[in-house]
Amino acid sequence: MRRLLFLNGIKAFEAAARTGSFAAAGLELSVSAAAVSRMVHLLEQRLGVALFERKANKLVLTQAGRAYQGGLTPIFDALASLTAQVTAPSGVRVLTIGVGHTFAMRWLIPRLSEFRSEEPDIEVRFTTGGASVPFGEDWSCGIKLGTGDWPGLVAEPLFAGDLTPVCVPRLAASLKRPADLRGPSLIRVAHSPEDWPIWLKAASLTRINARGPEFQFYGQALQAAADGLGIAMGIRPYIDDDLAAGRLVAPFDLSVPKGMRWYLLYRSFQTEQRDFAAFRRWIMRAASEPARPVRRTGRSAGRN
């Protein structure tokens, strides 16, 4: 027989370990912080091992606590996912993807009909993702830009986040070499201020500073570039379709790694679920397809 000790205490401990506090765990479980603390204390007594070091205004997991939480969280995630499947209306197959607005609009949605043609019975739902949004408990998977370090999640690389300037052909015609770039015409993205300095340094243009219009997101900056407002720093795969269609062109040959990649994120147990497995096979295949031909105007960035 299974030896399950004090399930309420186990649930309280997992929530406190994951959220970092008894108060946050209490809000999640709809009980008081004191109740969570008591249940965790009882669990520790029954296990005969300390799970937390209780410090002023801070919970620190012990080695045993880290090992216990590392095993419990995937179990609770799997249980929640299984419950959602069992209680879903008969015949409904739902895949929930946490993804940023720009990635969804510029790469995923234009290709989603391909997945739908292969799996017409799977209903795809998008929910707000992005780098600053934690992985949601109800997500089947997520797509994020980063370094690949998401504890507790499997991270499979999709694309390299390579940077290259883009603009409309009319502006590109006047850019014979990177030194022709002017700071006021360089469109910026507020949450990625490092992009232009990375590329300009690689092009040996340390005296040029991007001082053009600033937008909050890549999608806004690229739309501004497509409207002729200036030169935006393009990042793959956001620019692939615009380059292929000729709405934007890359004036120079220099493409510089951002130092991050796009990843497909999911919990390890998801590989056993057929709907996610089908999406994973499709998106890994779509991401591995060669980028569409890039239309270029101007000379190589090697000439300053």
Side-chain angles (χ1 to χ4, degrees):
M1 294 180 63
R2 292 189 181 94
R3 183 169 177 256
L4 296 177
L5 292 172
F6 191 32
L7 286 176
N8 284 340
I10 292 173
K11 186 165 64 173
F13 161 73
E14 190 278 335
R18 177 168 38 80
T19 61
S21 75
F22 291 145
L27 288 174
E28 181 177 306
L29 301 174
S30 299
V31 297
S32 67
V36 173
S37 179
R38 285 195 300 271
M39 286 189 284
V40 171
H41 182 65
L42 285 172
L43 176 64
E44 290 174 317
Q45 287 184 324
R46 297 187 186 191
L47 292 176
V49 63
L51 300 173
F52 286 115
E53 294 179 28
R54 291 160 174 81
K55 299 185 177 182
N57 301 319
K58 187 177 182 181
L59 286 177
V60 177
L61 285 164
T62 63
Q63 183 176 354
R66 286 193 298 272
Y68 203 29
Q69 191 249 334
L72 284 175
T73 295
I75 292 171
F76 280 117
D77 287 341
L79 180 60
S81 178
L82 178 61
T83 302
Q85 290 182 56
V86 170
T87 57
S90 178
V92 175
R93 299 167 60 189
V94 177
L95 187 78
T96 302
I97 305 171
V99 61
H101 174 78
T102 304
F103 190 97
M105 295 297 294
R106 289 200 158 255
W107 191 85
L108 186 54
I109 291 176
R111 290 161 177 78
L112 198 59
S113 61
E114 300 169 9
F115 176 68
R116 292 279 293 163
S117 68
E118 295 180 15
E119 300 289 344
D121 296 330
I122 299 177
E123 178 183 332
V124 178
R125 298 178 182 175
F126 292 152
T127 188
T128 301
S132 63
V133 180
F135 195 93
E137 292 186 5
D138 61 334
W139 293 9
S140 305
C141 60
I143 299 171
K144 289 182 180 287
L145 178 67
T147 60
D149 183 21
W150 287 278
L153 296 172
V154 179
E156 290 193 88
L158 294 173
F159 308 95
D162 293 338
L163 302 170
T164 191
V166 293
C167 60
V168 294
R170 171 179 55 82
L171 292 180
S174 64
L175 301 174
K176 305 303 181 184
R177 54 182 184 170
D180 293 333
L181 293 170
R182 296 291 179 264
S185 66
L186 305 186
I187 298 171
R188 298 169 294 156
V189 176
H191 68 77
S192 294
E194 73 282 0
D195 287 357
W196 272 112
I198 289 172
W199 191 89
L200 290 169
K201 181 179 179 180
S204 301
L205 296 172
T206 56
R207 295 184 179 181
I208 296 178
N209 295 314
R211 303 191 306 277
E214 182 179 84
F215 295 91
Q216 189 67 29
F217 303 110
Y218 280 115
Q220 296 168 336
L222 292 172
Q223 182 60 54
D227 290 335
L229 189 62
I231 301 108
M233 181 55 66
I235 180 172
R236 282 213 65 217
Y238 291 169
I239 57 176
D240 289 357
D241 292 347
D242 280 336
L243 291 174
R247 289 185 294 269
L248 294 172
V249 296
F252 314 112
D253 291 334
L254 181 62
S255 182
V256 179
K258 182 178 173 68
M260 292 187 279
R261 301 181 68 91
W262 295 97
Y263 290 88
L264 175 68
L265 304 181
Y266 56 91
R267 305 179 187 90
S268 58
F269 70 83
Q270 296 287 159
T271 56
E272 304 298 322
Q273 299 180 358
R274 61 172 182 163
D275 294 347
F276 168 72
F279 179 77
R280 176 176 171 268
R281 285 193 301 271
W282 172 79
I283 196 170
M284 298 303 291
R285 184 175 71 246
S288 67
E289 293 175 354
R292 295 164 183 173
V294 174
R295 293 180 54 171
R296 300 187 185 277
T297 300
R299 301 178 182 177
S300 168
R303 302 176 183 176
N304 294 332

